[in-house]
Amino acid sequence: MSQLQGSSSLKRKRQDLALVSGSMTDGERVLYNLIHSKKDMGIWTGDMKRQTNLPDSIVKKSLKLLQSKNLIKEVVNIQNKGRKHYMAAEFEPSKEITGGDWYTQGSLDTDFINLVKEVCLKCIFRQKVATRDGVLEWSRKSGVFTVEVTTQQIDEILRALVLDDEIEEVKSTGLGDFSSVPVGRICYRCKSKGGNRGEHKPGAMASIPCGVCPRINFCTPDGIISPRTCVYYQKWLDF
Amino acid sequence: MVTQHGIKLAVHLITNHFGNLVGVILSLSRLSDLFCSGIDIEILCVQKVCENLFSHGSLTLDQLIRFTELTKDQVKNSLLVLVQHNCCQAFVSAPEDDDDDADRLRVRTQYLVLFDNIIHRLRFPKFLETVTRTLDEECVELLDGLLRDGRLTLKQMVDRASQGKGKCFMMPVIENAVETKVVREILCKLLTARLVERCPAPEPVVSTSFKETTTRKRGAKSAKIFEAPETLEQRVLEAAVPGDAIRYSFTADMGSNADRETNSDDEQMISVEENTAKEEEILWRANFEEFVRHLRHKALIENIRTQHDDGTATVLSAVLEATKTVEKKVKLENSVPLSLDTITAEVMKTDTGRTMTMDRIRASLSQLGCSQRMIVDDAYSIDLKKIIERARNEEVESIVLKRYGRDAYRMFRLLSKDIGFHDTDQIAASTLVEKKEAPKLLYKLWKDNYLYMEKVVATGVKQITILMWKVNKPLLLEHVLDEMYHAALNLSLRMAFEQEKDEELLNVPKDKLKEPGPLQKKYKRLLNVWLLLGSSLMKLDEALMLFHDF
């Protein structure tokens, strides 16, 4: 939930490089320059050792010192969470490192995603038909989010909602519900008419045990797993 | 498309209907009581013959005797049962050019099992319901007879009707004998509705040496959903079916039975009596094709009703009703083009459509996918295939949702909407699924045949293997259909099992079952179980039709 608390300030601290390097040992300087050159991508400790040819102990000690001076920071790399990754303090980790807008501390912020989804759905449900910009404006006005939500983020959420079969993408005809939207503009509307979220009528297969059975491939009329001995049937037919 | 479990289900149905006759499947019990006498001995034989025909394709009598290791009479009788119930079609393979004299003299009658017709046995209650909805009670009775007995002549139908009456009123049969004229009228009604047809030619001559790829394109049969090559079964069926004029005509003078050539001069001088006698000999059967068309229309309309609204459903129903006699095949992709005026007139004929204005009809047509631009010569044609495909997708998606959860559901929908390949990371990003979770879910879907995957090796600084995923619709549909046949078989087997388990209940007098106690509790449970299993099987059968017949 950290994004909700407004932690994503994108301002970068300007530091005088010459002033910084004055108080460093050689080892520290070499390391710092390497880390700084990687900008918002950061670098793994293993790569540092390989590229600087410094002994293990010096690398460890220098990293600790640089960190205590607030010159570098440790970041989580989504590609490889086990590896220690460092970055100069003035940079914000890039999307390749964090995994994108929806990731905090290297894991998917599902609570935040669900919250944005909820807000978008509510907005579309109330307005019957809404464009992406309409949803964005509505959410900004309502003040639900303490952090800035971008157009791209709303787009991604809307796309996910379409895949969830909660809303559908339609082109405005300019008539009826669409009267507030210019003709031809892409907009979204809720799938369920009564507003009962996510309640789909299950299909014929999905409503019987065999339709969702994980062992269906092992099931034969006279086998160990058979309709006669099936535990799922037993549960289903327990009146 | 006949799948492995489809065959198992068909064999099971045959064994069940022509086998142990206590009425294993409650919902189908009306079919089974017919065979109580005489045919019991043949139980195993019919099953064996049927199984062999499935595994070997078409076979001659001699081959069947060899494979089944039964006596000639047993095999013959089994075949007769199968033919009587339209589950088997005989044909004579035409002599080929390179045959020598001995080959030409050889009997070439082969037997082919008709998979679709066997599975149709599952849906006889639905067929009867169709008649109940569109025609009167007498028609239902007549059709019921045809479904029970497979094929009947007019005389047999009259006998059946008379017997029924006799039983009902506990009076001597002769006094209540139903007149031929009455039965004839009822049969005519069914013929006009095309729900009954003449039986196909008993042994059409078909050339068996054909290359599947070079067969001429025949609009009706070759353009199946998956563009399956024309099969022997299709060729045989096509050769056996008489032309439309004869198929639904009552008069005998157009040819004796089916399409046998009768061009001799004597033929024209048949007296009225002879004609009537001939008429009585014609064999009739239920026209499954027409019933499937009815059910397809019903499914299309219901799908549109849930997707859009009643008005749109009314428009579609009016269009389908107006064009049903011109439809050339069941799996019609686009509805027969109609002008807006005709559609309006048709809609206004219906009860629900009387209130609809021209504008509303036009809006409904546009919801059905007929946009102004696509309309040529003011003729509207609705894309029916799209509606069916949508319904199929919904069915598959609902399985994915229930079996693999919402994240997998989103990923599956992403892939199923797109034709191309997507890599794992791209899928995870588009569906907002944790990057670590995505490969696991995709792998599960792939392992169960719901997804298709290809490995791509990218060589750069390091060699990386990228997994590319996609939904392969034809393969997927076949797989899901097979699973459905499997599920239907399981439901059917479980019904038999439940029946067997509580067999003693059937021997308990009814009064005892009404008294409260453990027996009553058990009986109530059995009824509930039957109801649930039976209704699930009927619902599943609708899905089977959606994937196989529509």
Side-chain angles (χ1 to χ4, degrees):
Chain A
M1 294 286 267
S2 67
Q3 292 208 24
L4 289 173
Q5 272 94 54
S7 65
S8 66
S9 95
L10 290 161
K11 281 179 195 162
R12 287 171 191 173
K13 294 165 215 156
R14 298 264 165 238
Q15 292 205 7
D16 195 355
L17 208 68
L19 190 104
V20 167
S21 54
S23 59
M24 282 187 207
T25 60
D26 284 350
E28 279 176 57
R29 192 174 306 118
V30 172
L31 269 181
Y32 180 75
N33 287 342
L34 178 68
I35 294 171
H36 192 265
S37 70
K38 295 290 176 192
K39 295 188 177 163
D40 62 355
M41 287 300 291
I43 184 167
W44 171 46
T45 43
D47 286 336
M48 285 181 211
K49 284 172 206 163
R50 211 158 30 81
Q51 290 183 26
T52 56
N53 280 330
L54 288 171
D56 210 22
S57 56
I58 297 198
V59 171
K60 262 189 187 162
K61 201 177 141 198
S62 310
L63 282 175
K64 227 176 213 171
L65 280 167
L66 284 170
Q67 224 176 336
S68 68
K69 287 179 191 163
N70 276 336
L71 290 172
I72 59 164
K73 60 183 175 187
E74 197 182 330
V75 287
V76 184
N77 185 351
I78 183 77
Q79 311 292 352
N80 210 328
K81 285 184 196 168
R83 291 179 173 184
K84 283 202 166 187
H85 234 77
Y86 288 94
M87 185 181 291
E90 63 206 80
F91 296 108
E92 280 297 324
S94 73
K95 271 190 185 166
E96 286 88 83
I97 302 282
T98 59
D101 289 332
W102 305 108
Y103 283 81
T104 20
Q105 298 297 314
S107 59
L108 193 70
D109 197 347
T110 42
D111 290 338
F112 183 57
I113 292 173
N114 286 339
L115 181 90
V116 183
K117 270 188 179 174
E118 204 69 47
V119 170
C120 289
L121 257 185
K122 213 179 262 174
C123 166
I124 296 171
F125 184 65
R126 285 206 188 151
Q127 302 189 346
K128 289 212 171 102
V129 173
T131 59
R132 177 244 286 151
D133 296 334
V135 174
L136 190 63
E137 205 186 303
W138 192 85
S139 66
R140 273 185 190 151
K141 264 189 200 162
S142 66
V144 195
F145 308 125
T146 45
V147 291
E148 188 76 354
V149 178
T150 61
T151 329
Q152 200 201 340
Q153 276 179 306
I154 293 288
D155 262 341
E156 281 173 17
I157 288 291
L158 289 175
R159 219 179 303 139
L161 281 172
V162 171
L163 292 177
D164 269 327
D165 209 24
E166 301 272 14
I167 59 171
E168 60 180 339
E169 201 180 282
V170 275
K171 263 197 183 141
S172 169
T173 56
L175 301 166
D177 286 345
F178 297 103
S179 54
S180 58
V181 185
V183 180
R185 183 81 68 83
I186 286 176
C187 41
Y188 300 89
R189 70 169 166 211
C190 279
K191 282 282 286 235
S192 50
K193 281 156 193 153
N196 46 339
R197 268 202 63 184
E199 271 181 43
H200 296 278
K201 207 179 82 203
M205 267 295 260
S207 42
I208 55 171
C210 297
V212 288
C213 179
R215 291 277 173 271
I216 184 96
N217 294 336
F218 303 97
C219 176
T220 48
D222 309 307
I224 298 171
I225 300 176
S226 83
R228 285 165 163 266
T229 58
C230 177
V231 281
Y232 300 108
Y233 262 122
Q234 208 64 45
K235 245 186 220 167
W236 189 47
L237 299 175
D238 182 32
F239 286 105
Chain B
M1 193 175 28
V2 183
T3 65
Q4 182 203 347
H5 283 102
I7 293 174
K8 278 189 191 164
L9 176 64
V11 173
H12 170 75
L13 283 175
I14 288 292
T15 323
N16 222 343
H17 292 175
F18 306 106
N20 199 349
L21 301 167
V22 197
V24 175
I25 302 176
L26 190 70
S27 59
L28 295 173
S29 60
R30 40 190 327 155
L31 306 173
S32 47
D33 51 357
L34 156 76
F35 301 102
C36 289
S37 57
I39 306 172
D40 282 31
I41 325 129
E42 314 279 296
I43 304 168
L44 277 171
C45 316
V46 178
Q47 186 199 353
K48 250 186 170 174
V49 169
C50 192
E51 259 175 347
N52 267 285
L53 283 174
F54 265 128
S55 50
H56 293 93
S58 64
L59 291 175
T60 63
L61 187 60
D62 290 340
Q63 283 171 321
L64 265 172
I65 294 167
R66 204 165 63 234
F67 286 130
T68 54
E69 293 172 355
L70 297 168
T71 66
K72 192 172 178 177
D73 276 349
Q74 282 173 320
V75 174
K76 247 188 182 166
N77 287 334
S78 302
L79 278 173
L80 282 174
V81 170
L82 285 172
V83 171
Q84 170 74 19
H85 287 277
N86 307 307
C87 299
C88 179
Q89 172 74 46
F91 68 95
V92 180
S93 55
E96 285 154 34
D97 299 339
D98 52 349
D99 282 352
D100 53 28
D101 285 348
D103 274 343
R104 279 171 195 278
L105 285 173
R106 196 161 41 98
V107 184
R108 296 160 172 281
T109 308
Q110 295 194 35
Y111 299 89
L112 187 72
V113 77
L114 303 176
F115 173 77
D116 286 358
N117 285 4
I118 296 179
I119 301 294
H120 284 327
R121 305 189 68 79
L122 198 62
R123 40 193 81 121
F124 282 178
K126 286 198 184 95
F127 293 171
L128 280 173
E129 203 259 342
T130 309
V131 184
T132 318
R133 238 180 328 120
T134 48
L135 297 166
D136 50 26
E137 189 54 37
E138 286 160 326
C139 293
V140 178
E141 259 172 49
L142 188 80
L143 189 87
D144 188 37
L146 278 175
L147 292 179
R148 279 166 189 252
D149 292 2
R151 302 173 165 196
L152 290 176
T153 61
L154 184 62
K155 193 172 175 305
Q156 285 170 319
M157 286 180 212
V158 175
D159 288 349
R160 268 190 76 96
S162 309
Q163 275 169 10
K165 280 270 160 69
K167 253 184 231 163
C168 280
F169 299 107
M170 302 301 272
M171 283 183 195
V173 176
I174 304 143
E175 274 176 41
N176 278 282
V178 180
E179 274 189 60
T180 315
K181 221 175 94 189
V182 180
V183 178
R184 211 191 129 119
E185 259 170 40
I186 302 169
L187 184 61
C188 271
K189 258 194 241 172
L190 282 164
L191 271 174
T192 322
R194 297 198 163 191
L195 295 173
V196 168
E197 62 177 354
R198 276 192 201 212
C199 286
E203 287 182 22
V205 179
V206 176
S207 158
T208 44
S209 66
F210 65 97
K211 284 175 194 150
E212 299 213 334
T213 44
T214 54
T215 46
R216 64 200 159 99
K217 283 266 178 256
R218 232 166 312 177
K221 302 272 175 178
S222 61
K224 288 219 159 182
I225 295 285
F226 301 106
E227 284 177 5
E230 195 179 44
T231 58
L232 181 66
E233 187 179 335
Q234 286 167 358
R235 283 169 69 98
V236 171
L237 284 183
E238 206 171 324
V241 171
D244 269 9
I246 305 167
R247 195 170 167 192
Y248 307 110
S249 125
F250 203 91
T251 34
D253 53 9
M254 299 186 78
S256 54
N257 200 352
D259 63 351
R260 206 169 289 161
E261 295 290 323
T262 48
N263 288 337
S264 63
D265 293 341
D266 307 341
E267 221 45 64
Q268 285 161 8
M269 292 185 281
I270 304 170
S271 64
V272 180
E273 287 83 40
E274 270 177 61
N275 203 4
T276 325
K278 262 195 162 176
E279 263 177 29
E280 289 197 350
E281 274 169 26
I282 302 172
L283 271 170
W284 301 98
R285 67 172 190 178
N287 183 8
F288 293 155
E289 195 185 318
E290 191 62 27
F291 280 110
V292 172
R293 177 173 297 131
H294 265 270
L295 293 172
R296 183 177 191 250
H297 286 182
K298 204 177 143 206
L300 283 167
I301 294 162
E302 286 317 309
N303 264 299
I304 286 298
R305 198 188 303 283
T306 38
Q307 195 189 332
H308 299 291
D309 49 45
D310 287 346
T312 314
T314 308
V315 173
L316 178 67
S317 139
V319 170
L320 292 176
E321 184 61 32
T323 56
K324 72 174 180 196
T325 45
V326 227
E327 280 187 22
K328 291 226 168 56
K329 53 172 178 167
V330 177
K331 291 181 176 184
L332 198 69
E333 289 185 11
N334 290 299
S335 69
V336 180
L338 282 184
S339 71
L340 187 59
D341 289 340
T342 325
I343 295 175
T344 316
E346 289 297 332
V347 171
M348 302 231 170
K349 265 192 227 166
T350 60
D351 286 342
T352 40
R354 219 153 279 151
T355 52
M356 291 182 82
T357 58
M358 201 82 156
D359 268 349
R360 271 193 69 190
I361 294 173
R362 206 176 282 142
S364 290
L365 281 168
S366 117
Q367 272 188 320
L368 287 166
C370 302
S371 66
Q372 214 72 57
R373 252 172 295 147
M374 283 155 58
I375 297 153
V376 189
D377 305 332
D378 190 38
Y380 289 79
S381 169
I382 300 157
D383 190 347
L384 304 175
K385 199 178 153 201
K386 211 166 105 187
I387 304 172
I388 295 292
E389 268 176 12
R390 199 191 144 94
R392 283 182 186 163
N393 285 347
E394 271 176 13
E395 180 69 40
V396 180
E397 282 164 12
S398 100
I399 299 174
V400 172
L401 177 65
K402 196 87 188 274
R403 218 187 267 183
Y404 309 96
R406 189 152 280 276
D407 284 347
Y409 173 73
R410 227 179 294 129
M411 296 203 271
F412 181 79
R413 270 173 62 91
L414 173 80
L415 293 172
S416 110
K417 276 184 177 182
D418 229 336
I419 318 156
F421 280 99
H422 288 255
D423 71 72
T424 317
D425 284 352
Q426 199 186 349
I427 296 169
S430 309
T431 53
L432 301 179
V433 174
E434 178 81 59
K435 271 180 193 156
K436 275 244 172 98
E437 280 303 307
K440 286 183 203 159
L441 287 170
L442 288 169
Y443 176 74
K444 260 195 216 161
L445 284 165
W446 171 78
K447 216 180 101 218
D448 290 353
N449 289 323
Y450 279 77
L451 287 185
Y452 178 78
M453 184 257 287
E454 259 177 39
K455 281 181 186 165
V456 179
V457 180
T459 42
V461 186
K462 277 187 278 179
Q463 208 180 43
I464 324 162
T465 314
I466 303 170
L467 300 183
M468 303 292 282
W469 311 85
K470 80 169 208 164
V471 170
N472 187 330
K473 281 265 164 71
L475 279 181
L476 175 69
L477 289 187
E478 198 179 324
H479 170 71
V480 173
L481 181 65
D482 190 48
E483 272 189 355
M484 281 178 177
Y485 280 131
H486 194 171
L489 175 67
N490 281 355
L491 281 174
S492 204
L493 286 170
R494 183 73 193 199
M495 272 176 129
F497 173 65
E498 291 287 342
Q499 163 107 30
E500 215 174 275
K501 217 170 59 177
D502 292 324
E503 209 165 12
E504 84 269 22
L505 278 177
L506 295 174
N507 303 325
V508 176
K510 281 212 165 142
D511 301 344
K512 274 206 169 170
L513 291 174
K514 280 177 190 158
E515 292 164 18
L519 261 183
Q520 193 203 30
K521 214 176 143 194
K522 223 172 167 187
Y523 184 63
K524 272 192 176 162
R525 184 198 163 266
L526 186 64
L527 285 185
N528 279 334
V529 166
W530 269 342
L531 194 68
L532 183 59
L533 288 170
S535 59
S536 297
L537 186 60
M538 283 299 107
K539 209 176 143 199
L540 184 62
D541 177 50
E542 274 166 36
L544 279 176
M545 293 188 91
L546 180 69
F547 278 70
H548 182 71
D549 301 278
F550 293 166

